Amino acid sequence: MKKSLVLLSILAVLAQNAFAQEGTALVFTQIERSPVNSAFAGAGAAFSQRVSYAGFANAAMLPYYKGTVDASAAFQYWTPELFPSAHFSAGAAYKPLPRLGIAVGYALENPQSYNVVTEPGVSDGTFYPKNHVLALGAGFGVTEQLSMGVNFRYARELPAPSVIFSGVSADLFAAWQFNPGFRVTAGVSTLGSKVVSGGESFGQPASAKIAVNWGAVFAESHALDLLADASYYFSGSFAAALGVQYAWDGLLFVRAGYRFASPYCPLPGHLALGFGICYQGFSLDASYLTASPSVGNSFNIGLSYGF
């Protein structure tokens, strides 16, 4: 019976689970898909200026979005120094009513391929790992200040021949907007089914999160947003992120963020930098991660349209 080379199979699994505590699967669901929020180093759960990727994250932000439609597509080059992976993602949000928003998202990951070897050491071709995430979200404004959001996702990981991890999970968030410039949100993320593969059972990277967003406009054409998020993973790890955005006249955006993460976090600590250009509803956004031996030199770039 043919078997893949054990070492290469392990590497393929580690590529997506390198930072997770033992017994946790589908950790790639924690990767930030949005080029905007990834420039905040993962902060931004209370950020509502862009909601096209709300299906992956916090649907409670949908009622606060000032537009009607927000759609995005992005390319992400992930962990090039550890195990290169090319990601393609798309997300869209729609507000049919002032207090109701829905969102959908899909991400496809293509980790680096590798040769499969039989037990005698004979090459058996090349294996191409694939990871998929399908996400749905809905947010409802209970009042003008209070909103609730729920997300559902299905994730599937194929890290090696005859090895499949899959599972469903959900997020539940509440948010309170004190005024248009100050918002707080809290909830639980990635509560899901056990992932069973090869007779073993794994949990998903469930967590509790709280986040704030403070924003202000200066001299009419200058705007500043400060963001802070903190997450406690039920597996025993902790992470916190700080982000900042400066905007000029709604056209140019400069972003930065820093993430602290304890050992075994799904995503490690890192510094993030980014920019955005917006004109007549179209936006180009990009982020770059650095100051990390594992996710350093990762980048994310995407196009979006909103109105």
Side-chain angles (χ1 to χ4, degrees):
M1 178 179 180
K2 294 182 178 181
K3 296 182 179 179
S4 59
L5 186 65
V6 175
L7 177 60
L8 289 177
S9 297
I10 292 174
L11 286 174
V13 176
L14 288 179
Q16 299 301 323
N17 300 283
F19 320 112
Q21 190 162 349
E22 185 178 356
T24 304
L26 303 178
V27 181
F28 65 92
T29 59
Q30 305 302 292
I31 296 174
E32 178 58 64
R33 307 296 171 181
S34 166
V36 175
N37 284 20
S38 60
F40 300 139
F47 192 66
S48 67
Q49 293 179 21
R50 306 286 288 278
V51 293
S52 53
Y53 286 97
F56 290 107
N58 183 6
M61 292 299 104
L62 289 167
Y64 301 130
Y65 179 58
K66 295 181 179 180
T68 301
V69 172
D70 190 22
S72 301
F75 170 76
Q76 187 175 38
Y77 192 49
W78 185 248
T79 59
E81 306 301 324
L82 177 66
F83 202 87
S85 183
H87 301 180
F88 302 90
S89 63
Y94 173 56
K95 284 183 64 178
L97 298 171
R99 293 188 184 180
L100 176 65
I102 54 177
V104 61
Y106 174 72
L108 168 66
E109 299 185 358
N110 296 285
Q112 182 176 346
S113 61
Y114 58 88
N115 292 329
V116 177
V117 180
T118 64
E119 284 185 323
V122 178
S123 176
D124 191 34
T126 302
F127 181 75
Y128 297 88
K130 298 286 184 184
N131 303 329
H132 307 264
V133 184
L134 176 63
L136 301 171
F140 175 69
V142 181
T143 68
E144 290 186 0
Q145 290 77 35
L146 175 65
S147 74
M148 304 290 292
V150 60
N151 298 73
F152 298 97
R153 71 177 61 79
Y154 170 76
R156 180 181 175 90
E157 180 178 14
L158 293 84
S162 302
V163 178
I164 299 175
F165 299 95
S166 65
V168 295
S169 62
D171 310 332
L172 181 62
F173 278 87
W176 183 269
Q177 183 167 264
F178 292 88
N179 58 61
F182 182 52
R183 191 178 305 110
V184 177
T185 186
V188 290
S189 176
T190 324
L191 298 177
S193 61
K194 288 291 185 179
V195 179
V196 179
S197 181
E200 296 189 50
S201 180
F202 304 89
Q204 297 193 49
S207 65
K209 175 177 285 190
I210 186 169
V212 298
N213 179 196
W214 174 86
V217 177
F218 305 93
E220 297 185 358
S221 60
H222 304 274
L224 185 68
D225 278 273
L226 302 177
L227 309 98
D229 291 40
S231 299
Y232 173 74
Y233 290 89
F234 299 147
S235 57
S237 57
F238 171 81
L242 297 174
V244 59
Q245 173 182 271
Y246 165 76
W248 176 75
D249 206 26
L251 299 175
L252 300 177
F253 301 82
V254 178
R255 307 176 179 111
Y258 179 77
R259 175 183 174 89
F260 164 82
S262 65
Y264 304 112
C265 253
L267 294 178
H270 60 271
L271 175 69
L273 303 170
F275 73 90
I277 302 172
C278 184
Y279 181 70
Q280 293 188 348
F282 291 93
S283 298
L284 171 67
D285 298 287
S287 65
Y288 173 76
L289 310 187
T290 186
S292 170
S294 50
V295 301
N297 292 327
S298 298
F299 68 86
N300 194 350
I301 184 168
L303 292 170
S304 65
Y305 177 70
F307 62 88

